[in-house]
């Protein structure tokens, strides 16, 4: 088990990639704290907490809106009260409005930045506050994983607020990695390509899927566990001298 006894928070843990990360972490022996605004998976099926209980893992849910500092503050405090420390936070929660420049209202822009960028900022800030109080174990005081996107690097067609927010998370990864490396806090991102989750709208329409298939050199699109396995690596002691990296899990999209 790569994460035996480690304490992990995953945001946006009820659906898709976040659910897969929570499950893979639990399988690897982590105690997982689930932080989402709902417990219902967007794609249907078992709730994350139940799925983890079924495999004999440890998980607790703390309802959290990542865009609210008071929620994120309480999330980390309660995690430490329950489990004694915080080894890993995976900042995964995001929304995706699928609107072009001209269609994007101030309200949509602000909401997208509040969840996708401010939420990651809050998660990182509160985690670093906690991690700085902890002992160094195997060359790490704590690890931060940010789920970015290929759309932080190339354009998200007609989806400006999402693309800008994701691009900000890639910068944040490098900044935190560089500023806190001396404190043994490790910060990396995973940039998924097209991953089949329960997202509806433009993310699931035929044209989008055809484009994604055409752009992806591998003969299939991604599934949530592809991203989760990369997040396990970045959360584990296997990844110690690696920080500030934006690791692509995209079937070769960005390479082609
Ligand atoms: N699916 C893809 O193709 C893809 C590609 C690149 C990047 N990503 C990134 O991966 C991550 C997960 O994507 P997904 O496809 O699994 O999304 P999803 O919509 O299936 O799941 C997102 C989860 O985040 C939760 N959430 C939304 N707002 C929240 C808030 N304010 N506070 C807490 N939780 C909140 C939702 O309830 C949901 O459970 C996101 O960061 C997304 O940008 C996904």
């Amino acid at each position: 088990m790569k994460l035996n006894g480690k304490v992990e928070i995953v945001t946006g843990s009820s659906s898709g990639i976040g659910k897969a990360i929570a499950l893979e972490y639990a399988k690897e022996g982590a105690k997982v704290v689930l932080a989402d605004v709902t417990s219902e998976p967007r794609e249907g099926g078992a709730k994350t907490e139940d799925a983890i209980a079924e495999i004999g893992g440890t998980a607790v849910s703390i309802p959290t809106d990542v865009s609210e500092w008071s929620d994120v503050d309480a999330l980390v405090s309660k995690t430490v009260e329950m489990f004694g420390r915080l080894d890993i936070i995976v900042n995964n929660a995001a929304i995706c409005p699928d609107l072009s420049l001209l269609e994007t209202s101030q309200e949509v822009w602000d909401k997208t930045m509040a969840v996708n960028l401010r939420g990651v900022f809050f998660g990182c800030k509160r985690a670093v506050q906690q991690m700085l109080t902890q002992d160094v174990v195997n060359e790490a005081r704590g690890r931060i994983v940010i789920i970015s996107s290929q759309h932080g690097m190339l354009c998200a067609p007609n989806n400006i607020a999402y693309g800008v927010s994701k691009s900000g998370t890639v910068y944040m990864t490098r900044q935190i990695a560089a500023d806190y490396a001396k404190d043994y806090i490790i910060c990396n991102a995973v940039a998924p390509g097209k991953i089949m989750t329960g997202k509806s709208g433009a993310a699931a329409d035929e044209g989008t899927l055809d484009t994604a298939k055409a752009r992806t050199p591998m003969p299939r699109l991604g599934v949530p566990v592809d991203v989760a396995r990369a997040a396990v690596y970045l959360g584990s002691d296997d990844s110690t001298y690696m920080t500030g990296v934006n690791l692509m899990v995209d079937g070769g999209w960005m390479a082609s």
Side-chain angles (χ1 to χ4, degrees):
M1 285 192 174
K2 287 185 188 302
L3 302 170
N4 210 10
K6 286 195 192 286
V7 180
E8 185 225 5
I9 291 172
V10 55
T11 70
S13 51
S14 297
S15 310
I17 292 171
K19 180 177 178 183
I21 292 171
L23 268 163
E24 288 302 300
Y25 268 66
K27 281 184 201 163
E28 294 293 343
K31 296 166 190 157
V32 184
V33 178
L34 307 169
D36 204 308
V37 283
T38 174
S39 58
E40 294 299 329
R42 291 187 76 179
E43 63 276 18
K47 292 182 180 176
T48 309
E49 197 172 343
D50 297 339
I52 291 177
E54 193 141 309
I55 58 164
T58 305
V60 292
S61 295
I62 301 181
T64 304
D65 179 344
V66 296
S67 67
E68 296 292 337
W69 172 256
S70 54
D71 280 19
V72 177
D73 185 25
L75 170 69
V76 173
S77 298
K78 286 180 194 162
T79 299
V80 175
E81 267 167 44
M82 276 185 289
F83 297 120
R85 62 183 275 137
L86 173 64
D87 294 296
I88 310 147
I89 185 166
V90 180
N91 293 290
N92 164 79
I95 55 172
C96 187
D98 282 317
L99 294 171
S100 69
L101 173 67
L102 298 186
E103 293 162 338
T104 300
S105 62
Q106 180 176 339
E107 194 187 16
V108 167
W109 177 269
D110 289 348
K111 173 78 180 161
T112 309
M113 296 305 153
V115 177
N116 297 11
L117 209 44
R118 192 169 81 203
V120 176
F121 158 62
F122 284 165
C124 293
K125 178 173 174 171
R126 188 63 187 87
V128 168
Q129 283 177 341
Q130 170 56 32
M131 288 168 184
L132 287 173
T133 69
Q134 301 179 169
D135 291 340
V136 178
V137 178
N138 292 336
E139 290 194 272
R141 236 180 260 283
R143 289 179 167 81
I144 296 170
V145 179
I146 293 172
I147 306 302
S148 59
S149 174
Q150 64 190 11
H151 291 317
M153 293 169 281
L154 43 74
C155 114
N158 292 318
N159 202 354
I160 189 165
Y162 178 78
V164 170
S165 70
K166 287 290 160 178
S167 145
T169 66
V170 177
Y171 177 80
M172 210 183 319
T173 303
R174 294 197 196 104
Q175 176 91 47
I176 294 166
D179 287 350
Y180 293 97
K182 66 181 185 318
D183 300 301
Y184 294 92
I185 293 172
I186 295 168
C187 181
N188 291 295
V190 182
K194 181 65 190 170
I195 309 294
M196 297 308 293
T197 61
K199 275 185 192 160
S200 53
D205 77 30
E206 217 172 299
T208 306
L209 295 181
D210 286 346
T211 306
K213 283 176 195 157
R215 289 293 306 268
T216 304
M218 284 196 177
R220 67 170 175 88
L221 297 178
V223 290
V225 77
D226 293 321
V227 181
R229 290 196 183 122
V232 165
Y233 168 69
L234 292 176
S236 76
D237 292 351
D238 287 344
S239 156
T240 296
Y241 196 61
M242 181 172 166
T243 198
V245 161
N246 187 29
L247 185 64
M248 288 175 275
V249 179
D250 65 354
W253 182 318
M254 291 293 289
S256 70

